[in-house]
Amino acid sequence: MKIIVDQDKCVASGQCVTAAADVFDQRDEDGVVVLLTDNPSEDLSADVHQAAAVCPALAIVVED
Amino acid sequence: MSVPVYPMTRATGCPFDPPPQLRDLQGEAPLVKVRVFDRTAWMVTRYADQRKLLADRRLSSDVGKPGYPNSVARPVQSDEDTGIGFILMDDPEHSRLRRMVTAPFMIKRVEAMRPQVQEIVDNLIDDMLAGPKPVDLVTAFALPVPSLVICRLLGVPYEDHDFFQQNSKTLIRTSASIEERTEARNNIGRYLNELMGAKLANPEDDLLSGLAERVKAGELTRRDAAGIGVLLLIAGHETTANMIALGTLALLEHPDQLAVLRESEDPKLVAGAVEELLRYLNITHNGRRRAVLEDIEFAGEVLKAGDGVIFPNDLGNRDADAFPDPDRLDVSRDARHHIAFGFGVHQCLGQPLARMELQVVYGTLYRRIPALRRAVGLDEIPFKHDGAVYGVYSLPVTW
């Protein structure tokens, strides 16, 4: 699993953090997504896919 | 064939469900034509299509663009004291302004506020329990909770709440005249502009003072700063308050679901119940609106530049393809992918705060007042059929 985030697209809704807090965080100054790891363990797969699905800006891409 | 007029009327006795006529259109086609005031607009009826098109940058949120399907006959104009707020703008200006106020709504910052919100909720419940009954849940609890929270976050004096709550209520009442609504908008605008002046002179640790710093640095005009303040103050009041009151009423009408929520110790279940009530109630029930900037081929039709498009998210959230048995309120279902906060770059900025407030409220109110019940018949409750945000004007309760 490989994750790519697009910080320019991000609208800081925070939904990815709610879905997978071990993988996503937010930048202090404006809440824009920060990727904590781009290759998380497989047991986080469902959470990561949910994070991508609920992102309103389509800023998260997951490659399996 | 005649073109149906939008919005439509809910069925008598079904206050939580979208209008039946709207549901029929969903069964008819993915794209249908509806009439709004003096024009027709496309309506996107299904969940997956709504998500797809709301994320399409060829659709504009700018109310001034040709074809924009207004939710009122004439749009309210902002006066010289305030800008319109980024909700009616497109990128890159929308993103530039929005990012100036995203930090206080970050998950971490919102979680840090949870104990304060818990205290606000507990104090209001203490007051309710110590006072006379029946009591109107809206004025005693549902409105003060988000009002106290957003005032503290923005740095707006809560003592002025009667003033801005009255004006906010008028502004979003679609049955009010354009003159009344414009006056209400300008009243709040002037108030925020004045407050911005105070923050410029004496900055404190709050969101409006943060905007004042941007004004000083030349990154933002005072007028735009006041416009953002108006947007956040109104949004902070009119949404969460209705979710608290209408959500409580919906749970009282579904005692089995209320019992699941009341008897669980699991914060995840409470969080899930919040998502399900957001999906089920869908209080921003007049649809998201967009104007087409360039031709888009979609579902066998062509959305032409200058056409208007309406996305009724109450329909999307009741689409059986996305939510099996969609008309059933089921606090245990996974409803996280609902679009009650909209979708695309304009999706609600305050959603982490709204979620946290609702989690505290739903996790506290029914436990502390387990005998909570309606004090009047369901048919005596005044629903906001004429509001841009759906809910109840009052909810008399006792215990």
Side-chain angles (χ1 to χ4, degrees), chain B residues 87-328:
Chain B
I87 196 168
L88 298 175
M89 291 177 182
D90 291 331
D91 282 347
E93 191 62 359
H94 156 261
S95 275
R96 190 183 77 83
L97 295 180
R98 178 177 165 128
R99 281 195 179 185
M100 289 185 185
V101 290
T102 41
F105 298 99
M106 286 168 59
I107 302 288
K108 288 184 274 216
R109 301 271 296 269
V110 162
E111 281 306 317
M113 286 174 71
R114 192 182 281 264
Q116 289 179 50
V117 173
Q118 184 69 55
E119 195 186 333
I120 286 171
V121 166
D122 282 328
N123 289 342
L124 288 165
I125 295 174
D126 288 343
D127 291 348
M128 260 172 68
L129 290 171
K133 53 185 181 183
V135 63
D136 175 15
L137 190 82
V138 174
T139 49
F141 185 74
L143 195 50
V145 171
S147 188
L148 283 158
V149 172
I150 198 72
C151 284
R152 197 173 290 184
L153 195 146
L154 292 179
V156 169
Y158 184 70
E159 305 86 82
D160 299 335
H161 68 98
D162 278 343
F163 165 79
F164 48 72
Q165 283 169 0
Q166 279 310 318
N167 281 293
S168 175
K169 204 159 124 183
T170 304
L171 178 59
I172 68 153
R173 189 159 51 85
T174 46
S175 61
S177 71
I178 184 69
E179 288 76 18
E180 288 173 309
R181 299 176 71 238
T182 300
E183 193 197 343
R185 174 65 172 72
N186 289 337
N187 285 342
I188 306 180
R190 275 192 296 276
Y191 174 80
L192 256 304
N193 191 300
E194 215 169 283
L195 196 54
M196 191 53 65
K199 302 287 179 188
L200 280 163
N202 296 303
E204 291 167 273
D205 184 20
D206 55 49
L207 190 151
L208 292 182
S209 297
L211 288 179
E213 289 302 315
R214 304 265 189 179
V215 173
K216 273 185 200 159
E219 296 168 33
L220 183 66
T221 65
R222 176 166 162 177
R223 185 175 179 275
D224 279 344
I228 294 171
V230 172
L231 176 62
L232 297 181
L233 185 63
I234 294 170
H237 272 87
E238 296 299 343
T239 48
T240 312
N242 283 301
M243 274 306 298
I244 294 172
L246 191 68
T248 297
L249 180 59
L251 287 165
L252 291 174
E253 297 305 307
H254 295 83
D256 56 327
Q257 297 301 303
L258 180 56
V260 171
L261 184 56
R262 192 196 285 128
E263 283 149 29
S264 171
E265 296 279 348
D266 183 2
K268 276 195 178 149
L269 188 134
V270 176
V274 167
E275 301 309 317
E276 170 65 351
L277 279 151
L278 286 163
R279 176 197 77 84
Y280 180 76
L281 297 172
N282 220 21
I283 55 165
T284 56
H285 67 150
N286 275 359
R288 311 279 67 78
R289 318 260 171 155
R290 299 289 186 270
V292 182
L293 296 177
E294 53 182 281
D295 292 4
I296 302 170
E297 281 184 44
F298 196 85
E301 307 274 3
V302 180
L303 309 175
K304 288 201 177 320
D307 284 353
V309 189
I310 297 174
F311 301 82
N313 38 349
D314 46 350
L315 268 194
N317 278 339
R318 296 287 188 107
D319 183 340
D321 285 341
F323 305 96
D325 199 1
D327 296 333
R328 194 160 57 89

